[in-house]
Amino acid sequence: MLLRCAVLMVLVFSSAAAARPGSIITLVELNCENLFDTRHDPSKQDMEFLPDGSRHWTTSKYWGKINRIGQEILSCAEALPDLVALVEVENDSVLRDLTRRSLLRHAGYQYLMTESADVRGIDVALLYQPVHFRPLCYDYLEVPPLPGMRPTRDILYVKGCCLSGDTLHVFVVHSPSRYGGERESRPFRMQVARQLQRYVTTLGDDAQILVTGDFNDYHDSPALLTLYGSGLKNVTRNAKGRNGAKGNYRYRGDWHSLDHVLASPILYNKVDTAYINDAPFLLEEETKYGGKRPRRTFQGYASQRGFSDHLPLVVRFLLNH
């Protein structure tokens, strides 16, 4: 793997911190459902998320969304999550507002994100707590488009060291959607899986690898099966919510999971717990099909005081274990 950056920082942990046994690392994965700012990027097709666009995306709506995403992340665990993988974030300005000017402003998060060729301008990012995870290097892994495939999101790769001394290799992904039909769009998601497989297999059998994000596929899809063939295991395959969610996304009354957390065997054996954060305030009544669904930001093109159409995945690892 050819990294675009050199060492990001020198790792300096106190002797007491470095000796801390059984360190806990909590990961949250969340599709933010179109976390766009209100400014036009001439190089991107972001016009619908402008004040005069089809979604009438105003400054007040934007800041409401930023703070609700912060609230959602804070609700995922008793302590601040150490790593937060975010999908559908537009740019550095959005991440800066989220980490510096929202409800997360005192949380101390730093972040890394991609700068992809996605035509709408959406990317993926990783928030991290520097005290518990120190990046050593990172890269943007491009996904070469197939014929008929629009440029998609780069894969974010971050190699970092945890407080316990463990090295983690983290990949954040957002595969192409099922627009146009699942079968017709399947090769595009397979292309992402093949790129991931290529990089994962170079890291060796003893590497502690996390692959997470929105795969736009279910756990038994060809793309996920391809990744399982690389030795990765689906940590969140059987994850459930504590308030009735049987998946992190609901479509026509049925719960599914399009988001996943995969881990290499050595890291899979260190999973303490995995669940879906379906806190009551993240849910709303689904009048057509009955029951609850994620409290989304948009009903069609009309915005509401929602969070996302995806619920967060939460996984806790016991490292040095």
Side-chain angles (χ1 to χ4, degrees):
M1 187 183 303
L2 179 62
L3 299 183
R4 297 179 180 174
C5 67
V7 175
L8 291 177
M9 60 186 75
V10 177
L11 301 182
V12 180
F13 292 122
S14 71
S15 57
R20 175 184 165 196
S23 295
I24 296 171
I25 285 287
T26 301
L27 166 76
V28 167
E29 186 278 337
L30 173 62
N31 181 318
C32 296
E33 189 195 6
N34 295 314
L35 186 53
F36 281 80
D37 63 22
T38 61
R39 296 179 294 277
H40 177 47
D41 181 344
S43 67
K44 303 297 182 181
Q45 297 177 13
D46 61 356
M47 289 73 73
E48 64 180 308
F49 290 95
L50 299 175
D52 58 353
S54 56
R55 295 185 185 271
H56 303 289
W57 193 237
T58 63
T59 300
S60 62
K61 291 177 182 178
Y62 167 72
W63 281 108
K65 170 88 170 181
I66 284 285
N67 277 305
R68 285 191 290 276
I69 293 295
Q71 180 186 5
E72 187 167 10
I73 291 169
L74 290 171
S75 73
C76 285
E78 292 182 4
L80 279 173
D82 304 291
L83 299 172
V84 183
L86 297 178
V87 174
E88 290 197 13
V89 290
E90 185 185 12
N91 52 35
D92 182 77
S93 295
V94 167
L95 267 294
R96 188 169 60 250
D97 287 342
L98 180 64
T99 57
R100 300 291 180 268
R101 303 178 66 188
S102 78
L103 293 176
L104 294 178
R105 62 187 177 274
H106 299 304
Y109 282 115
Q110 301 293 321
Y111 63 87
L112 295 165
M113 70 178 303
T114 56
E115 297 177 2
S116 306
D118 178 85
V119 295
R120 296 175 63 222
I122 56 176
D123 279 292
V124 301
L126 182 71
L127 310 187
Y128 60 91
Q129 285 283 339
V131 173
H132 297 118
F133 180 82
R134 300 288 181 94
L136 295 168
C137 56
Y138 73 100
D139 200 1
Y140 312 146
L141 311 179
E142 297 179 359
V143 180
L146 299 174
M149 176 182 172
R150 298 193 309 179
T152 191
R153 279 71 59 171
D154 292 349
I155 300 163
L156 177 63
Y157 167 70
V158 183
K159 176 184 177 181
C161 186
C162 300
L163 193 63
S164 61
D166 294 79
T167 298
L168 290 185
H169 301 267
V170 184
F171 296 82
V172 185
V173 61
H174 184 192
S175 295
S177 74
R178 296 184 166 207
Y179 181 78
E182 187 279 327
R183 183 177 296 274
E184 290 75 12
S185 60
R186 185 185 301 170
F188 307 154
R189 292 184 296 282
M190 284 295 298
Q191 179 74 337
V192 175
R194 283 190 289 266
Q195 292 301 306
L196 276 167
Q197 184 181 47
R198 171 188 167 198
Y199 291 113
V200 164
T201 54
T202 67
L203 296 174
D205 295 337
D206 294 333
Q208 299 193 92
I209 303 169
L210 269 176
V211 180
T212 188
D214 182 353
F215 293 80
N216 272 306
D217 262 327
Y218 305 141
H219 69 85
D220 56 354
S221 70
L224 270 295
L225 294 175
T226 296
L227 294 173
Y228 303 156
S230 303
L232 296 172
K233 297 178 179 294
N234 197 325
V235 173
T236 52
R237 175 173 176 172
N238 297 313
K240 300 289 188 295
R242 298 168 178 175
N243 293 289
K246 299 177 181 178
N248 82 320
Y249 181 81
R250 201 161 190 240
Y251 179 68
R252 294 183 177 177
D254 293 323
W255 285 103
H256 303 281
S257 285
L258 298 173
D259 303 69
H260 306 276
V261 177
L262 312 181
S264 57
I266 190 171
L267 190 57
Y268 181 82
N269 291 329
K270 298 180 180 181
V271 173
D272 176 61
T273 185
Y275 59 92
I276 297 166
N277 178 16
D278 62 345
F281 72 90
L282 297 176
L283 302 173
E284 64 183 6
E285 296 290 338
E286 186 165 29
T287 55
K288 183 174 182 180
Y289 297 102
K292 303 279 189 178
R293 69 178 182 186
R295 188 178 172 191
R296 58 187 64 187
T297 304
F298 295 98
Q299 296 276 16
Y301 278 83
S303 63
Q304 60 176 10
R305 294 178 59 83
F307 295 81
S308 173
D309 54 351
H310 294 234
L311 294 171
L313 300 177
V314 186
V315 181
R316 189 171 73 164
F317 298 90
L318 297 181
L319 302 181
N320 232 354
H321 175 68

